């Protein structure tokens, strides 16, 4: 079955409450203070608490370091090599290799994964002349610091009722690590090139989808996650459309928007924790909802159009990413040094 639900424990319920409340607080703070790039403030807290059920200082350091790294890379590369696209692409590929190396080693997976996602989104926005680069870097860093603070508060106010078992990352062969790093870095670089060539400034969800699909770091995992991401996106978009119809002309009233967002995040976070697969249908649904509310829900905006555009662009991105992953997977398996021997 696509969805393998496990019984919800007391710890799972508390994790749901932490995720939904953290995302809602980030969204509320962003709207109250009029911060730009609301997607960072809404999505980062629930990604942090969703992918790391046990929140530790090591997790906080990884997330903070990933934001700082992405900001430095965007600032330095954008400033020094923005006029040299070929050289810039080669440097970006090298940076992505470093991120995937951190991910494949396990203990620093969150650092590599978050750096990869932040850098990909920020590089795309930084390429447009009307983008305030310093504001973009500041928003990402500010949202990360706020997410860490919110996560600490949530863990303190809604702690687990019993200790969780920490899972050690499985040992990987050298061949597998090479395969995963080259596959992920190549596809991430291809995504960067496509979003640079075409005018896709409004396709943040599609770009994020191409990166999130790479988290399993091998073709079988990407293939399994692709369908789950598509279903999660459909569920998140459907809820967003229903929310817009329910709110109608009141979408500018924060007092009405906040409980609707919290309810949606609570609903999808339950799916997420029951799946127990890391990034699955529930994770895709709640991040899609966070993007819609954080980035596109505002007075006078048409969330329905944004939602329909999101789902169509994401489906195209998923199909294209799967095709490229299959090509690279097949090519890498032709060489002994990068041939997968565990499948």
């Amino acid at each position: 079955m696509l969805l393998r639900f496990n019984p919800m424990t007391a710890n799972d319920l508390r994790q749901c409450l932490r995720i939904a409340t953290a995302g809602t607080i980030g969204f509320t703070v962003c709207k109250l203070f009029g911060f730009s790039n609301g997607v960072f403030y809404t999505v980062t807290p629930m990604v942090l608490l969703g992918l790391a059920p046990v929140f530790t200082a090591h997790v906080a350091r990884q997330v903070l370091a990933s934001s700082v790294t992405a900001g430095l890379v965007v600032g330095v590369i954008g400033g020094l090599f923005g006029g040299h696209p070929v050289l810039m692409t080669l440097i970006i590929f090298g940076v992505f290799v470093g991120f995937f190396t951190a991910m494949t080693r396990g203990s620093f997976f969150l650092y590599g994964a978050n750096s990869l996602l932040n850098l990909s989104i920020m590089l795309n926005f930084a390429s447009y002349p009307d983008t305030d680069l310093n504001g973009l870097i500041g928003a990402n860093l500010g949202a990360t610091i706020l997410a860490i603070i919110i996560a600490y508060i949530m863990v303190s106010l809604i702690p687990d009722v019993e200790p969780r078992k920490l899972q050690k990352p499985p040992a990987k062969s050298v061949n597998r690590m090479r395969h995963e790093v080259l596959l992920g870095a190549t596809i991430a670089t291809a995504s960067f090139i496509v979003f640079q060539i075409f005018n896709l400034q409004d396709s943040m969800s599609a770009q994020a989808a191409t990166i999130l699909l790479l988290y399993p770091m091998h073709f079988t995992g990407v293939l399994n996650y692709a369908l789950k991401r598509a279903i999660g996106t459909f569920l998140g978009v459907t809820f967003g459309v229903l929310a817009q119809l329910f709110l109608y002309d009141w979408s500018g009233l924060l007092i009405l928007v906040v409980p609707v967002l919290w309810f949606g995040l609570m609903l999808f976070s339950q799916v997420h924790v029951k799946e127990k697969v890391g990034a699955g249908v529930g994770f895709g649904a709640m991040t899609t909802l966070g993007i819609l509310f954080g980035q596109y829900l505002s007075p006078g905006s048409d969330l329905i159009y944004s939602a329909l555009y999101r789902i169509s662009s994401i489906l195209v991105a998923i199909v294209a990413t799967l095709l490229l992953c299959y090509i690279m997977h097949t090519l890498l398996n032709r060489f002994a040094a990068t041939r997968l021997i565990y499948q």
Side-chain angles (χ1 to χ4, degrees), residues 237-274:
V237 166
T238 300
F239 186 92
V241 171
L242 293 176
Q244 175 75 79
L245 294 175
F246 173 74
L247 293 170
Y248 198 54
D249 290 335
W250 298 333
S251 59
L253 297 178
L254 199 60
I255 194 172
L256 297 179
V257 174
V258 167
V260 172
L261 174 62
W262 185 89
F263 176 78
L265 294 180
M266 188 65 186
L267 180 66
F268 295 137
S269 63
Q270 291 183 63
V271 179
H272 169 65
V273 300
K274 287 181 179 180

CSV table of all heavy atoms in Angstrom, one decimal, residues 237-274:
chain,number,residue,atom,x,y,z
A,237,VAL,N,-2.9,21.4,-1.8
A,237,VAL,CA,-3.6,22.4,-2.6
A,237,VAL,C,-5.1,22.3,-2.4
A,237,VAL,O,-5.7,23.4,-2.4
A,237,VAL,CB,-3.2,22.1,-4.1
A,237,VAL,CG1,-4.1,22.8,-5.1
A,237,VAL,CG2,-1.8,22.4,-4.4
A,238,THR,N,-5.7,21.1,-2.3
A,238,THR,CA,-7.1,21.0,-2.1
A,238,THR,C,-7.5,21.7,-0.8
A,238,THR,O,-8.5,22.5,-0.8
A,238,THR,CB,-7.5,19.5,-2.0
A,238,THR,OG1,-7.2,18.9,-3.3
A,238,THR,CG2,-9.0,19.4,-1.8
A,239,PHE,N,-6.8,21.5,0.2
A,239,PHE,CA,-7.1,22.2,1.5
A,239,PHE,C,-7.0,23.7,1.3
A,239,PHE,O,-7.8,24.5,1.9
A,239,PHE,CB,-6.2,21.7,2.6
A,239,PHE,CG,-6.6,22.3,4.0
A,239,PHE,CD1,-7.5,21.6,4.8
A,239,PHE,CD2,-6.1,23.5,4.4
A,239,PHE,CE1,-7.9,22.1,6.0
A,239,PHE,CE2,-6.5,24.0,5.6
A,239,PHE,CZ,-7.3,23.3,6.5
A,240,GLY,N,-5.9,24.1,0.6
A,240,GLY,CA,-5.7,25.6,0.4
A,240,GLY,C,-6.9,26.2,-0.4
A,240,GLY,O,-7.3,27.3,0.0
A,241,VAL,N,-7.4,25.5,-1.4
A,241,VAL,CA,-8.5,26.0,-2.2
A,241,VAL,C,-9.7,26.1,-1.3
A,241,VAL,O,-10.5,27.1,-1.3
A,241,VAL,CB,-8.7,25.1,-3.4
A,241,VAL,CG1,-10.1,25.5,-4.1
A,241,VAL,CG2,-7.6,25.3,-4.4
A,242,LEU,N,-10.0,25.0,-0.5
A,242,LEU,CA,-11.2,25.0,0.4
A,242,LEU,C,-11.1,26.1,1.4
A,242,LEU,O,-12.1,26.8,1.8
A,242,LEU,CB,-11.3,23.7,1.0
A,242,LEU,CG,-11.7,22.5,0.1
A,242,LEU,CD1,-11.7,21.2,0.9
A,242,LEU,CD2,-13.0,22.7,-0.6
A,243,ALA,N,-9.8,26.4,1.9
A,243,ALA,CA,-9.6,27.4,2.9
A,243,ALA,C,-9.9,28.8,2.2
A,243,ALA,O,-10.6,29.7,2.9
A,243,ALA,CB,-8.2,27.4,3.4
A,244,GLN,N,-9.5,29.0,1.0
A,244,GLN,CA,-9.8,30.3,0.3
A,244,GLN,C,-11.3,30.5,0.1
A,244,GLN,O,-11.8,31.6,0.3
A,244,GLN,CB,-9.1,30.3,-1.0
A,244,GLN,CG,-9.4,31.5,-1.9
A,244,GLN,CD,-8.6,32.8,-1.4
A,244,GLN,OE1,-7.5,32.9,-1.7
A,244,GLN,NE2,-9.3,33.6,-0.7
A,245,LEU,N,-12.0,29.4,-0.3
A,245,LEU,CA,-13.4,29.5,-0.4
A,245,LEU,C,-14.1,29.8,0.9
A,245,LEU,O,-15.1,30.5,0.9
A,245,LEU,CB,-14.0,28.2,-1.1
A,245,LEU,CG,-13.5,27.9,-2.5
A,245,LEU,CD1,-14.0,26.5,-2.9
A,245,LEU,CD2,-14.0,29.0,-3.5
A,246,PHE,N,-13.6,29.2,2.0
A,246,PHE,CA,-14.2,29.4,3.3
A,246,PHE,C,-14.0,30.8,3.8
A,246,PHE,O,-14.9,31.4,4.3
A,246,PHE,CB,-13.6,28.3,4.3
A,246,PHE,CG,-14.1,28.6,5.7
A,246,PHE,CD1,-15.3,28.3,6.1
A,246,PHE,CD2,-13.2,29.1,6.6
A,246,PHE,CE1,-15.7,28.5,7.4
A,246,PHE,CE2,-13.5,29.3,7.9
A,246,PHE,CZ,-14.8,29.0,8.3
A,247,LEU,N,-12.7,31.3,3.6
A,247,LEU,CA,-12.4,32.6,4.1
A,247,LEU,C,-13.0,33.7,3.2
A,247,LEU,O,-13.3,34.8,3.7
A,247,LEU,CB,-10.9,32.8,4.2
A,247,LEU,CG,-10.2,31.9,5.2
A,247,LEU,CD1,-8.7,32.0,5.0
A,247,LEU,CD2,-10.6,32.4,6.6
A,248,TYR,N,-13.0,33.4,1.9
A,248,TYR,CA,-13.6,34.4,0.9
A,248,TYR,C,-12.9,35.7,1.0
A,248,TYR,O,-11.7,35.8,0.8
A,248,TYR,CB,-15.1,34.5,1.0
A,248,TYR,CG,-15.8,35.0,-0.2
A,248,TYR,CD1,-15.6,34.4,-1.5
A,248,TYR,CD2,-16.6,36.1,-0.1
A,248,TYR,CE1,-16.2,34.9,-2.6
A,248,TYR,CE2,-17.2,36.6,-1.3
A,248,TYR,CZ,-17.0,36.0,-2.5
A,248,TYR,OH,-17.6,36.5,-3.6
A,249,ASP,N,-13.6,36.8,1.3
A,249,ASP,CA,-13.0,38.1,1.4
A,249,ASP,C,-12.4,38.4,2.7
A,249,ASP,O,-11.9,39.5,3.0
A,249,ASP,CB,-14.1,39.2,1.1
A,249,ASP,CG,-14.6,39.2,-0.3
A,249,ASP,OD1,-13.8,38.8,-1.2
A,249,ASP,OD2,-15.7,39.6,-0.5
A,250,TRP,N,-12.4,37.4,3.6
A,250,TRP,CA,-11.8,37.6,4.9
A,250,TRP,C,-10.4,37.0,5.1
A,250,TRP,O,-9.8,36.9,6.2
A,250,TRP,CB,-12.7,36.9,6.0
A,250,TRP,CG,-14.1,37.5,6.1
A,250,TRP,CD1,-14.5,38.7,5.7
A,250,TRP,CD2,-15.2,36.8,6.5
A,250,TRP,NE1,-15.8,38.9,5.9
A,250,TRP,CE2,-16.3,37.7,6.4
A,250,TRP,CE3,-15.5,35.5,7.0
A,250,TRP,CZ2,-17.6,37.3,6.7
A,250,TRP,CZ3,-16.8,35.1,7.3
A,250,TRP,CH2,-17.8,36.0,7.2
A,251,SER,N,-9.7,36.8,3.9
A,251,SER,CA,-8.4,36.2,4.0
A,251,SER,C,-7.4,37.2,4.5
A,251,SER,O,-6.2,36.8,4.8
A,251,SER,CB,-7.9,35.8,2.5
A,251,SER,OG,-8.0,36.9,1.7
A,252,GLY,N,-7.7,38.4,4.7
A,252,GLY,CA,-6.8,39.4,5.3
A,252,GLY,C,-6.9,39.5,6.8
A,252,GLY,O,-6.2,40.2,7.4
A,253,LEU,N,-7.9,38.8,7.4
A,253,LEU,CA,-8.1,38.8,8.8
A,253,LEU,C,-7.3,37.7,9.5
A,253,LEU,O,-7.7,36.5,9.4
A,253,LEU,CB,-9.6,38.6,9.1
A,253,LEU,CG,-10.6,39.8,8.6
A,253,LEU,CD1,-12.0,39.5,9.0
A,253,LEU,CD2,-10.1,41.1,9.2
A,254,LEU,N,-6.2,38.1,10.1
A,254,LEU,CA,-5.3,37.1,10.7
A,254,LEU,C,-6.0,36.2,11.7
A,254,LEU,O,-5.7,35.0,11.8
A,254,LEU,CB,-4.1,37.8,11.3
A,254,LEU,CG,-2.9,37.0,11.5
A,254,LEU,CD1,-2.4,36.4,10.2
A,254,LEU,CD2,-1.8,37.8,12.2
A,255,ILE,N,-7.0,36.8,12.4
A,255,ILE,CA,-7.6,36.0,13.5
A,255,ILE,C,-8.4,34.9,12.9
A,255,ILE,O,-8.7,33.9,13.6
A,255,ILE,CB,-8.5,37.0,14.3
A,255,ILE,CG1,-9.0,36.3,15.6
A,255,ILE,CG2,-9.7,37.4,13.5
A,255,ILE,CD1,-9.7,37.2,16.6
A,256,LEU,N,-8.8,34.9,11.7
A,256,LEU,CA,-9.5,33.8,11.0
A,256,LEU,C,-8.6,32.9,10.3
A,256,LEU,O,-8.8,31.7,10.2
A,256,LEU,CB,-10.6,34.4,10.1
A,256,LEU,CG,-11.7,35.2,10.7
A,256,LEU,CD1,-12.6,35.7,9.6
A,256,LEU,CD2,-12.5,34.4,11.7
A,257,VAL,N,-7.5,33.5,9.7
A,257,VAL,CA,-6.6,32.7,8.9
A,257,VAL,C,-5.8,31.7,9.8
A,257,VAL,O,-5.6,30.5,9.5
A,257,VAL,CB,-5.7,33.6,8.1
A,257,VAL,CG1,-4.6,32.7,7.4
A,257,VAL,CG2,-6.4,34.4,7.1
A,258,VAL,N,-5.4,32.2,11.0
A,258,VAL,CA,-4.5,31.4,11.8
A,258,VAL,C,-5.1,30.0,12.3
A,258,VAL,O,-4.5,29.0,12.1
A,258,VAL,CB,-4.1,32.2,13.1
A,258,VAL,CG1,-3.5,31.3,14.2
A,258,VAL,CG2,-3.1,33.3,12.7
A,259,PRO,N,-6.4,30.0,12.8
A,259,PRO,CA,-6.9,28.7,13.1
A,259,PRO,C,-7.2,27.8,12.0
A,259,PRO,O,-7.0,26.5,12.1
A,259,PRO,CB,-8.3,29.1,13.8
A,259,PRO,CG,-8.6,30.4,13.4
A,259,PRO,CD,-7.3,31.1,13.2
A,260,VAL,N,-7.4,28.3,10.8
A,260,VAL,CA,-7.6,27.5,9.6
A,260,VAL,C,-6.3,26.8,9.2
A,260,VAL,O,-6.2,25.6,8.9
A,260,VAL,CB,-8.1,28.3,8.4
A,260,VAL,CG1,-8.1,27.5,7.1
A,260,VAL,CG2,-9.5,28.8,8.7
A,261,LEU,N,-5.2,27.6,9.3
A,261,LEU,CA,-3.9,27.1,9.0
A,261,LEU,C,-3.5,26.0,10.0
A,261,LEU,O,-3.0,24.9,9.6
A,261,LEU,CB,-2.8,28.2,9.0
A,261,LEU,CG,-1.4,27.7,8.8
A,261,LEU,CD1,-1.1,27.0,7.5
A,261,LEU,CD2,-0.4,28.9,8.9
A,262,TRP,N,-3.7,26.3,11.3
A,262,TRP,CA,-3.4,25.3,12.3
A,262,TRP,C,-4.1,24.0,12.2
A,262,TRP,O,-3.6,22.9,12.3
A,262,TRP,CB,-3.7,25.9,13.7
A,262,TRP,CG,-3.3,25.0,14.9
A,262,TRP,CD1,-2.1,25.0,15.5
A,262,TRP,CD2,-4.0,24.0,15.5
A,262,TRP,NE1,-2.0,24.0,16.4
A,262,TRP,CE2,-3.2,23.4,16.5
A,262,TRP,CE3,-5.3,23.5,15.3
A,262,TRP,CZ2,-3.7,22.3,17.3
A,262,TRP,CZ3,-5.8,22.4,16.1
A,262,TRP,CH2,-4.9,21.9,17.1
A,263,PHE,N,-5.4,24.1,11.8
A,263,PHE,CA,-6.2,22.9,11.6
A,263,PHE,C,-5.6,22.1,10.4
A,263,PHE,O,-5.5,20.8,10.5
A,263,PHE,CB,-7.7,23.3,11.3
A,263,PHE,CG,-8.5,22.1,11.0
A,263,PHE,CD1,-9.0,21.3,12.0
A,263,PHE,CD2,-8.9,21.8,9.7
A,263,PHE,CE1,-9.8,20.1,11.7
A,263,PHE,CE2,-9.7,20.7,9.4
A,263,PHE,CZ,-10.1,19.9,10.4
A,264,GLY,N,-5.3,22.7,9.3
A,264,GLY,CA,-4.7,22.0,8.2
A,264,GLY,C,-3.4,21.4,8.5
A,264,GLY,O,-3.1,20.2,8.2
A,265,LEU,N,-2.5,22.1,9.2
A,265,LEU,CA,-1.2,21.5,9.6
A,265,LEU,C,-1.4,20.4,10.6
A,265,LEU,O,-0.6,19.4,10.5
A,265,LEU,CB,-0.3,22.6,10.2
A,265,LEU,CG,0.1,23.7,9.3
A,265,LEU,CD1,1.0,24.7,10.0
A,265,LEU,CD2,0.8,23.2,8.0
A,266,MET,N,-2.3,20.5,11.5
A,266,MET,CA,-2.6,19.4,12.4
A,266,MET,C,-3.1,18.2,11.7
A,266,MET,O,-2.7,17.0,12.0
A,266,MET,CB,-3.6,19.9,13.5
A,266,MET,CG,-3.8,18.9,14.6
A,266,MET,SD,-2.3,18.7,15.6
A,266,MET,CE,-2.8,17.4,16.8
A,267,LEU,N,-3.9,18.4,10.7
A,267,LEU,CA,-4.5,17.3,10.0
A,267,LEU,C,-3.4,16.5,9.2
A,267,LEU,O,-3.3,15.3,9.3
A,267,LEU,CB,-5.5,17.8,9.0
A,267,LEU,CG,-6.2,16.8,8.1
A,267,LEU,CD1,-7.1,15.8,8.9
A,267,LEU,CD2,-7.1,17.5,7.1
A,268,PHE,N,-2.5,17.3,8.5
A,268,PHE,CA,-1.5,16.6,7.7
A,268,PHE,C,-0.3,16.1,8.5
A,268,PHE,O,0.3,15.2,8.1
A,268,PHE,CB,-1.0,17.6,6.6
A,268,PHE,CG,-2.1,18.0,5.6
A,268,PHE,CD1,-2.3,19.3,5.2
A,268,PHE,CD2,-2.9,17.0,5.1
A,268,PHE,CE1,-3.2,19.7,4.3
A,268,PHE,CE2,-3.9,17.4,4.2
A,268,PHE,CZ,-4.1,18.7,3.8
A,269,SER,N,-0.1,16.8,9.6
A,269,SER,CA,1.0,16.3,10.5
A,269,SER,C,0.7,14.9,11.1
A,269,SER,O,1.6,14.1,11.3
A,269,SER,CB,1.3,17.3,11.6
A,269,SER,OG,0.2,17.4,12.5
A,270,GLN,N,-0.6,14.6,11.3
A,270,GLN,CA,-1.0,13.3,11.7
A,270,GLN,C,-0.7,12.2,10.7
A,270,GLN,O,-0.2,11.1,11.0
A,270,GLN,CB,-2.5,13.3,12.1
A,270,GLN,CG,-2.9,14.1,13.3
A,270,GLN,CD,-4.4,14.0,13.6
A,270,GLN,OE1,-4.9,12.9,13.9
A,270,GLN,NE2,-5.1,15.1,13.6
A,271,VAL,N,-1.0,12.6,9.4
A,271,VAL,CA,-0.6,11.7,8.3
A,271,VAL,C,0.9,11.5,8.3
A,271,VAL,O,1.4,10.3,8.1
A,271,VAL,CB,-1.1,12.2,7.0
A,271,VAL,CG1,-0.7,11.3,5.8
A,271,VAL,CG2,-2.6,12.5,7.0
A,272,HIS,N,1.7,12.5,8.5
A,272,HIS,CA,3.1,12.5,8.5
A,272,HIS,C,3.7,11.5,9.6
A,272,HIS,O,4.5,10.7,9.3
A,272,HIS,CB,3.7,13.9,8.7
A,272,HIS,CG,5.2,13.9,8.9
A,272,HIS,ND1,6.1,13.5,8.0
A,272,HIS,CD2,5.9,14.3,10.0
A,272,HIS,CE1,7.3,13.7,8.5
A,272,HIS,NE2,7.2,14.1,9.7
A,273,VAL,N,3.2,11.7,10.8
A,273,VAL,CA,3.8,10.9,11.9
A,273,VAL,C,3.3,9.4,11.8
A,273,VAL,O,4.0,8.5,12.2
A,273,VAL,CB,3.4,11.5,13.3
A,273,VAL,CG1,4.0,12.9,13.4
A,273,VAL,CG2,1.9,11.5,13.5
A,274,LYS,N,2.1,9.2,11.2
A,274,LYS,CA,1.6,7.8,11.1
A,274,LYS,C,2.4,7.0,10.0
A,274,LYS,O,2.5,5.8,10.1
A,274,LYS,CB,0.1,7.8,10.8
A,274,LYS,CG,-0.8,8.2,12.0
A,274,LYS,CD,-2.2,8.1,11.6
A,274,LYS,CE,-3.1,8.4,12.8
A,274,LYS,NZ,-4.6,8.4,12.4
